[in-house]
C-alpha cells in the first residue's frame, strides 16, 4: 500500500445559481492574456445541453479517456504509442475553434464618440478578437445558459442520446415542462489522468505531494495529444505560445493555505475543498473493473479512512506531515464522498477516476409530491416520488454513475430524507426515526450532513493542510530570491512582461494575432486596429463614420 494525499473538490449543485462568478474570476486570474481568449479553465454549463466545447462528452468522436481492450487491459481511447506517433503532426481528433467559439470584442467608443448628424444610428458590431474582422455571433462558452438555444441543440446532448428512449422522451424542451441545472466544471485532476499518459514529451505530470495535475511549460512541445486524451476537454492550447495549458487548481494559493479562486469567490458557497488519502497501488485495479456500474464503488474503495489508526500510522511512516493527516480527518470532501456517500464523480465511465465530485441536484421534491396527489409529510410518499422528478434520474445517472439509476436514486433519497427530517425537527422538534431507518443514517449524522451542505462556515468548507501555511513564508522567500518563476514565462499564466502600459513587450491579442505580418508590418486593410485610444487603453479603434 502506497498512501498518497489528493486535494479534491465537491460541488453541491443544488446551490449553484448560475451566476458565473467563478468563471469570471478564474478568467481574470489565469487566462486574461494573449493566446487564451477562448480558454475557460472554469466554466458553468446549463444541462441539458451539448456543453463547451460542443459535444465534449461524445468520446466516440473525441477519443478521450480510457477503455478496456479485448483482454480486459486498460488502454487509451486515442490509441497506443504507435498510433499517437503517426498522428503527432496532424491529430484529427481535436476540437476546432468552432467547437469552442471564436472570441469577439466590441468597441464601445463607436457609440460614445459617434459624431453628430449621422443618418444611421451607430451600433457596436462584433469583431473577432483574433483577426479584427466583422463576425456573426453563433456560439460561445455560455451560449446555452439557462436553456438559451436549448430547443435547437440540447436534443443532441450525449447524455440524452445515451438514455433509454422511453426515459429520454420524458425530457421536454417546452416552457414549464422542461428542467435545467447548472454544472460548473474545472479540470478533474484525476487519479488516473489520461492526459498525463498521452503526453509524448512528458510535460503533463501529477504532483506527488497533493495530486494536482500540471503542465511543464519548458517541456511541452505542443503535440496536443493531451487535448484529445482528456475526456473532459479541460486541456487547451495557447495559440500564442503553442503550449498546453489547463486548470492549475490554483496551486500557489493551495500552497499558502488558501482555497482556489473559484471557491473563494463562489456566491452560492457550493464548493468544498479538502484532502483525501488514497492507495496508489489500488488505482489501476479500480479503473479496470469490467462493469461500468462498479466504477463508483471501486473508486470509493481506493480512498482510505484517515480516522483508521493503521492508515494514519502508515501515512506518517510514509513521510506525510501530521497536519495533513489531521486535515484529512476534518476533510469535508471525504465526508461527502465516503461517509455520507452523497457526492458522485462526473462520468466515471471515462475511467480516469476524477477528483472533482458533485452532489446531484434535487428537484423541488415536495412540489412534485403534492402535484402527484401524495402526502409531502410522508417519507414513503416522498421517496416514491423520486423517480417522477422533473430532472429524470436516468439523466443524472448518465452524468454521474455511468447509467446506474439506482445509485443516483439512493443519493436523492438521502437528500430528500435529510430535508424531511430537518423539517420535522424545525417545526415541532420531533425526531423522525422512520426517516433515519429508511436512509440508513442516525439523527446526529443527518444533522451533521445538513450543517455541512447548508450552513457550513468558511473553515468547514475549506480544510487545506496547515503545513502549507507553515511553508508559505519559505515559499515567498524562495520566489523573491529567484529571478524566474515557472509561471512567469512569455505568454504564460504568470502574465509576465511590462503589462499594457507604455513600452509593453507583449501587446494584447487584438493588436497582434493575424493583424501583422511576419515582419511586424500592419497587414493591408487593418490600419489603426491597434492604436492606443485617447484614454490610454489598447484595443480596436473603429471610425463610426466609416472614414
Amino acid at each position: 500500500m502506497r498512501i498518497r494525499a489528493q486535494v479534491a473538490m465537491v460541488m453541491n449543485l443544488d446551490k449553484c445559481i448560475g451566476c458565473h462568478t467563478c468563471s469570471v474570476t478564474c478568467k481574470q486570474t489565469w487566462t486574461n492574456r494573449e493566446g487564451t481568449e477562448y480558454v475557460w479553465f472554469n466554466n458553468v454549463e446549463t444541462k441539458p445541453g451539448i456543453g463547451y466545447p460542443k459535444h465534449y462528452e461524445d468520446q466516440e468522436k473525441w477519443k478521450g479517456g480510457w477503455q478496456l481492450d479485448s483482454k480486459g487491459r486498460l488502454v487509451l481511447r486515442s490509441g497506443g504509442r504507435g498510433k499517437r506517433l503517426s498522428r503527432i503532426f496532424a491529430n484529427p481528433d481535436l476540437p476546432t475553434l468552432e467547437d469552442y467559439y471564436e472570441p469577439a470584442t466590441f468597441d464601445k467608443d463607436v457609440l460614445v464618440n459617434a459624431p453628430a448628424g449621422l443618418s444611421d444610428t451607430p451600433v457596436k458590431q462584433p469583431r473577432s478578437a483574433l483577426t479584427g474582422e466583422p463576425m456573426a455571433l453563433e456560439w460561445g462558452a455560455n451560449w446555452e445558459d439557462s436553456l438559451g438555444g436549448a430547443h435547437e441543440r440540447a436534443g443532441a446532448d450525449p447524455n440524452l442520446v445515451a438514455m433509454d428512449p422511453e426515459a429520454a422522451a420524458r425530457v421536454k424542451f417546452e416552457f414549464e415542462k422542461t428542467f435545467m441545472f447548472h454544472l460548473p466544471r474545472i479540470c478533474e485532476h484525476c487519479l488516473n489522468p489520461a492526459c498525463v499518459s498521452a503526453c509524448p514529451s512528458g510535460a503533463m505530470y501529477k504532483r506527488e505531494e497533493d495530486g494536482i495535475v500540471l503542465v511543464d511549460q519548458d517541456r511541452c512541445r505542443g503535440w496536443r495529444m493531451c487535448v484529445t486524451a482528456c475526456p473532459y476537454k479541460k486541456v487547451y492550447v495557447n495559440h500564442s505560445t503553442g503550449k498546453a495549458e489547463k486548470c492549475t487548481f490554483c496551486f500557489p494559493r493551495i500552497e499558502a493555505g488558501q482555497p482556489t479562486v473559484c471557491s473563494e469567490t463562489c456566491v452560492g458557497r457550493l464548493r468544498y475543498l479538502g484532502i483525501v488519502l488514497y492507495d496508489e497501488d489500488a488505482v489501476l485495479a479500480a479503473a479496470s473493473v469490467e462493469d461500468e456500474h462498479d466504477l463508483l464503488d471501486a473508486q470509493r474503495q481506493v480512498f482510505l479512512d484517515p480516522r483508521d489508526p493503521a492508515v494514519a500510522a502508515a501515512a506518517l511512516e510514509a513521510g506525510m506531515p501530521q497536519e495533513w493527516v489531521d486535515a484529512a480527518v476534518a476533510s469535508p470532501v471525504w465526508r461527502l464522498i465516503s461517509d455520507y456517500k452523497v457526492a458522485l464523480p462526473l462520468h466515471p465511465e471515462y475511467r480516469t477516476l476524477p477528483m472533482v465530485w458533485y452532489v446531484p441536484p434535487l428537484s423541488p421534491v415536495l412540489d412534485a409530491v403534492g402535484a402527484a396527489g401524495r402526502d409531502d409529510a410522508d417519507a414513503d410518499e416522498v421517496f416514491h416520488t423520486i423517480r417522477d422528478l422533473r430532472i429524470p434520474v436516468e439523466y443524472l445517472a448518465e452524468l454521474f454513475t455511468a447509467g446506474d439509476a439506482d445509485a443516483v436514486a439512493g443519493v436523492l433519497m438521502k437528500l430528500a430524507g435529510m430535508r424531511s427530517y430537518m423539517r420535522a425537527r424545525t417545526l415541532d422538534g420531533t425526531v423522525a426515526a422512520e426517516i433515519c431507518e429508511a436512509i440508513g443514517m442516525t439523527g446526529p449524522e443527518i444533522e451533521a450532513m445538513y450543517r455541512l451542505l447548508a450552513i457550513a462556515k468558511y473553515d468547514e468548507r475549506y480544510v487545506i493542510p496547515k503545513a502549507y501555511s507553515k511553508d508559505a513564508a519559505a515559499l515567498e522567500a524562495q520566489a523573491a530570491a529567484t529571478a524566474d518563476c515557472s509561471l512567469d514565462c512569455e505568454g504564460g499564466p504568470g502574465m509576465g512582461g511590462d503589462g499594457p502600459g507604455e513600452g509593453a513587450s507583449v501587446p494584447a491579442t487584438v493588436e497582434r494575432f493575424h493583424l501583422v505580418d511576419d515582419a511586424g508590418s500592419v497587414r493591408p486593410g487593418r490600419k489603426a486596429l491597434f492604436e492606443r485610444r485617447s484614454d490610454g487603453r489598447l484595443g480596436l479603434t473603429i471610425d463610426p463614420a466609416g472614414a
Side-chain angles (χ1 to χ4, degrees):
M1 180 174 68
R2 287 186 295 173
I3 295 182
R4 298 289 189 195
Q6 170 83 38
V7 179
M9 181 182 290
V10 169
M11 302 191 209
N12 184 359
L13 297 185
D14 254 337
K15 300 174 74 175
C16 183
I17 61 176
C19 66
H20 302 276
T21 303
C22 53
S23 299
V24 173
T25 51
C26 176
K27 184 73 174 174
Q28 289 294 92
T29 302
W30 292 105
T31 59
N32 186 18
R33 52 196 159 79
E34 184 178 11
T36 60
E37 300 82 9
Y38 76 102
V39 174
W40 294 84
F41 288 170
N42 183 112
N43 71 291
V44 181
E45 299 170 355
T46 296
K47 288 295 185 180
I50 61 177
Y52 158 81
K54 296 177 182 175
H55 305 287
Y56 73 91
E57 294 162 297
D58 184 359
Q59 303 313 323
E60 294 299 322
K61 177 180 182 180
W62 299 122
K63 313 299 182 186
W66 302 85
Q67 64 181 356
L68 298 180
D69 65 9
S70 57
K71 297 182 180 179
R73 296 174 301 187
L74 200 63
V75 296
L76 289 171
R77 280 185 177 271
S78 57
R81 295 180 180 178
K83 184 176 181 179
R84 292 200 300 278
L85 181 61
S86 68
R87 297 182 171 189
I88 200 165
F89 295 111
N91 184 0
D93 302 320
L94 288 174
T96 64
L97 188 61
E98 288 72 27
D99 292 311
Y100 292 102
Y101 72 102
E102 185 171 0
T105 186
F106 300 86
D107 195 337
K108 297 182 176 62
D109 292 347
V110 171
L111 304 182
V112 175
N113 300 326
L118 289 178
S119 58
D120 298 320
T121 302
V123 296
K124 296 184 296 181
Q125 183 180 21
R127 289 180 177 258
S128 171
L130 303 181
T131 66
E133 300 292 338
M135 62 176 290
L137 298 178
E138 298 178 348
W139 188 253
N142 191 30
W143 194 264
E144 299 174 306
D145 186 33
S146 299
L147 296 181
H151 61 286
E152 295 180 350
R153 294 185 173 92
D157 183 338
N159 300 293
L160 288 177
V161 174
M163 287 170 59
D164 179 78
E166 184 176 340
R170 291 165 43 204
V171 178
K172 307 293 185 182
F173 293 105
E174 301 175 20
F175 183 66
E176 293 185 347
K177 292 185 179 179
T178 190
F179 72 91
M180 73 170 185
F181 62 93
H182 300 289
L183 180 70
R185 291 202 306 119
I186 64 172
C187 169
E188 297 285 335
H189 297 277
C190 310
L191 298 183
N192 185 36
C195 57
V196 173
S197 297
C199 180
S201 60
M204 305 282 294
Y205 66 99
K206 187 174 179 67
R207 301 210 306 187
E208 290 188 7
E209 61 268 31
D210 53 21
I212 296 176
V213 177
L214 298 174
V215 184
D216 186 336
Q217 296 288 298
D218 293 331
R219 300 185 67 175
C220 179
R221 296 296 178 265
W223 301 124
R224 309 187 183 200
M225 297 298 168
C226 52
V227 179
T228 298
C230 176
Y232 305 99
K233 291 297 173 280
K234 278 299 177 181
V235 182
Y236 306 89
V237 174
N238 182 317
H239 61 70
S240 177
T241 65
K243 306 284 189 178
E245 295 190 19
K246 59 177 294 297
C247 162
T248 66
F249 221 66
C250 291
F251 73 87
R253 292 178 59 90
I254 295 292
E255 288 173 351
Q258 299 175 357
T260 62
V261 168
C262 58
S263 301
E264 180 80 67
T265 59
C266 177
V267 173
R269 300 182 179 182
L270 61 98
R271 300 182 187 233
Y272 302 82
L273 278 170
I275 290 291
V276 173
L277 303 182
Y278 70 97
D279 181 5
E280 188 177 27
D281 290 334
V283 169
L284 179 60
S288 303
V289 295
E290 183 176 356
D291 190 345
E292 291 182 343
H293 290 180
D294 294 334
L295 285 167
L296 172 60
D297 289 335
Q299 184 171 357
R300 280 197 175 123
Q301 291 171 10
V302 171
F303 303 145
L304 302 174
D305 187 349
R307 298 165 300 189
D308 185 340
V311 171
L316 295 174
E317 185 177 351
M320 196 173 297
Q322 180 65 51
E323 292 88 343
W324 285 36
V325 178
D326 295 340
V329 172
S331 171
V333 172
W334 158 259
R335 283 188 283 164
L336 292 172
I337 292 176
S338 297
D339 261 2
Y340 307 140
K341 296 186 177 180
V342 293
L344 301 170
L346 183 62
H347 289 297
E349 69 272 18
Y350 298 160
R351 299 179 182 272
T352 60
L353 305 189
M355 289 307 295
V356 177
W357 289 45
Y358 297 85
V359 178
L362 185 64
S363 299
V365 61
L366 298 184
D367 291 343
V369 174
R374 298 169 181 163
D375 183 4
D376 61 11
D378 188 328
D380 287 337
E381 298 283 1
V382 172
F383 294 155
H384 291 156
T385 312
I386 290 291
R387 292 283 187 175
D388 300 327
L389 294 179
R390 179 176 291 184
I391 302 179
V393 172
E394 292 81 2
Y395 184 85
L396 296 176
E398 291 297 332
L399 272 175
F400 301 121
T401 59
D404 186 357
D406 290 338
V408 174
V411 172
L412 296 180
M413 287 178 182
K414 278 191 177 182
L415 297 175
M418 178 190 71
R419 291 188 182 187
S420 297
Y421 179 91
M422 293 307 300
R423 181 188 186 190
R425 290 280 287 154
T426 303
L427 291 178
D428 53 21
T430 59
V431 175
E434 68 281 1
I435 294 179
C436 298
E437 183 179 353
I439 63 177
M441 297 178 68
T442 65
E445 286 176 337
I446 294 177
E447 294 186 30
M449 182 171 70
Y450 164 77
R451 175 176 178 81
L452 185 59
L453 289 176
I455 58 175
K457 302 299 182 183
Y458 186 94
D459 57 354
E460 294 175 275
R461 290 182 286 120
Y462 309 136
V463 181
I464 301 171
K466 299 300 182 182
Y468 284 140
S469 298
K470 278 187 178 180
D471 296 338
L475 289 168
E476 185 175 355
Q478 179 184 359
T482 305
D484 297 322
C485 171
S486 60
L487 296 180
D488 195 13
C489 56
E490 183 179 356
M495 293 185 285
D498 299 326
E502 293 292 341
S505 59
V506 185
T509 298
V510 292
E511 294 80 48
R512 293 288 297 172
F513 191 71
H514 289 172
L515 300 181
V516 296
D517 58 22
D518 295 336
S521 302
V522 180
R523 289 180 176 172
R526 295 176 181 173
K527 184 179 180 181
L529 275 179
F530 56 93
E531 292 179 355
R532 188 172 298 281
R533 302 175 180 181
S534 58
D535 61 3
R537 291 182 295 154
L538 287 169
L540 292 174
T541 303
I542 305 167
D543 185 353

